[in-house]
Amino acid sequence: MTSASRPSTAATDSADLAPERTAREESAPAETVHGESRSGEGRRVLLAAPRGYCAGVDRAVIAVEQALEQYGAPIYVRHEIVHNKYVVETLRKKGAIFVEETAEVPPGEIVIFSAHGVAPVVHDEAKRGQLATIDATCPLVTKVHKEAVRFAKDDYDILLIGHEGHEEVIGTSGEAPEHITLVDGPKDVASVEVKDPSKVVWLSQTTLSVDETMETVDALKEKFPQLISPPSDDICYATQNRQTAIKQVAAESDLVLIVGSKNSSNSVRLVETALVHGAKAGHLVDNASELDEAWLEGVTTVGLSSGASVPDVLVEGVIQWLAERGWSDVEVVQPVEEHIQFSLPKELRRDLRAEAKAAVADSTGS
């Protein structure tokens, strides 16, 4: 990925988001921007904004790029740095090596932890393996981790709303496994048991559907009336903002296209949200090559957005594909604006190659 594919708001030197700051504090109402029709046939594309890269994704991708620049290849990355095929393949070509487990990284090398976060045991594994680490966990995910630790210390039962097997859920659960119970949607609520119904709190995966999460919370509150909520919203500002925009777009669209990879939770949720809020049809595609002209039959208005780990170059490809088929009128729908920026991981300010070599030397006694 080149720097041109990132949003112009990408930051490398601003302060991390304070844990108590909420998405609403960083989102302001904005006007819908309407383009002038050029097709003359009433065909139009409603382009949602905000869309694409969020601050946490941008921070993680830049961290890998900068590590490659500073320390040279190879740089190891535990799991996909973000859930997007294009981003992963672009970084792979630059010298990043993606592994499933920390044990796959040779001693003395550098490993980056993905934006989804990892459990404390993974940090311990890296230390035992004499690895230098860069933690690219999104600060909003880190906030949830800290909440889990705090509530566990106070002996609360923590009901973590999220999808089983998702890397973020695995990482958060690892902070307090003896206190956390996963609740994968309203269907799981009936089977949830806690030690003390007066000391129960819910937390959530940051990339969920806002509506579905609150449906689960409502069901939990019926079962546990004393259930308390986290001090601030766990669902990240970018997820909320993209869902707000696609709801507005979907209400006017015959077809909604979401650009994103199928393992991207927030991208999948955008399709689901669009279908619930008025879109007659919706599809998730990695890029323009996956589009099908048959989807356009009987369609006048196409809604378009992308997940929080998608570079805008992929959206531009879809816009071009649609324009070539008569949908050249593009109207931007922007109900909220975003201003959040995150600083890069502090580890990038150190000589990690030297630190890793020193750790290996100490372990061998040389």
Side-chain angles (χ1 to χ4, degrees), residues 47-71:
L47 181 61
R51 65 181 179 280
Y53 269 17
C54 63
V57 164
D58 199 54
R59 173 181 185 265
V61 174
I62 294 174
V64 179
E65 292 177 334
Q66 188 160 320
L68 286 165
E69 277 184 31
Q70 287 182 209
Y71 309 120

Side-chain angles (χ1 to χ4, degrees), residues 283-299:
H283 299 279
L284 179 65
V285 296
D286 264 297
N287 52 57
S289 70
E290 296 183 357
L291 295 169
D292 187 340
E293 288 194 29
W295 297 345
L296 298 174
E297 185 175 347
V299 169

Side-chain angles (χ1 to χ4, degrees), residues 11-16 340-344:
T12 60
D13 58 357
S14 57
D16 281 350
I340 289 180
Q341 300 175 333
F342 296 138
S343 61
L344 287 176

Side-chain angles (χ1 to χ4, degrees), residues 16-40:
D16 281 350
L17 182 71
E20 66 274 16
R21 186 178 299 172
T22 69
R24 285 183 290 275
E25 291 175 304
E26 294 296 328
S27 302
E31 296 293 330
T32 299
V33 181
H34 294 284
E36 295 182 2
S37 177
R38 296 182 294 276
S39 65

Side-chain angles (χ1 to χ4, degrees), residues 24 27 159 267 271 335:
R24 285 183 290 275
S27 302
L159 308 181
S267 298
V271 178

